[in-house]
């Protein structure tokens, strides 16, 4: 299966996104418009991953906010 991750404090990643990891391959999916930011997993898995992110967007945004709070 595919493992989904929100990674804390990545350098140079300002767009809210999550990672979909499949068999040592990685895909970054925007949490704003569900576009593919980077990656190279098989297209069938890309379609599933984007659909899963759309269905779980509320939970993913909570975790993104938890790990990426702006310090003033």
């Amino acid at each position: 299966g595919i493992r989904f991750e929100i990674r804390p404090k990545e350098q140079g990643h300002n767009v809210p996104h999550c990672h979909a990891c499949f068999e040592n391959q990685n895909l970054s999916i925007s949490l704003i418009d569900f576009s593919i930011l980077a990656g190279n997993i098989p297209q069938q898995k890309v379609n599933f991953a984007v659909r899963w992110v759309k269905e779980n967007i509320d939970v993913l945004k909570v975790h993104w906010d938890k790990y990426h709070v702006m310090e003033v």
Side-chain angles (χ1 to χ4, degrees):
I2 299 175
R3 183 180 70 248
F4 292 89
E5 302 174 348
I6 299 286
R7 298 178 182 165
K9 304 294 183 186
E10 289 182 286
Q11 294 294 326
H13 287 84
N14 296 326
V15 174
H17 67 283
C18 71
H19 295 268
C21 305
F22 176 75
E23 294 182 354
N24 297 322
Q25 296 173 318
N26 188 40
L27 186 71
S28 296
I29 304 170
S30 167
L31 298 181
I32 296 172
D33 63 6
F34 309 107
S35 63
I36 305 305
L37 303 174
N40 61 351
I41 68 174
Q43 188 60 47
Q44 180 182 11
K45 300 297 182 185
V46 170
N47 295 338
F48 174 84
V50 170
R51 186 171 61 249
W52 189 91
V53 169
K54 286 179 180 180
E55 291 171 359
N56 293 279
I57 190 64
D58 293 336
V59 172
L60 293 167
K61 284 184 175 180
V62 166
H63 287 286
W64 176 269
D65 290 344
K66 181 169 70 173
Y67 291 122
H68 297 90
V69 174
M70 298 285 291
E71 295 182 14
V72 190

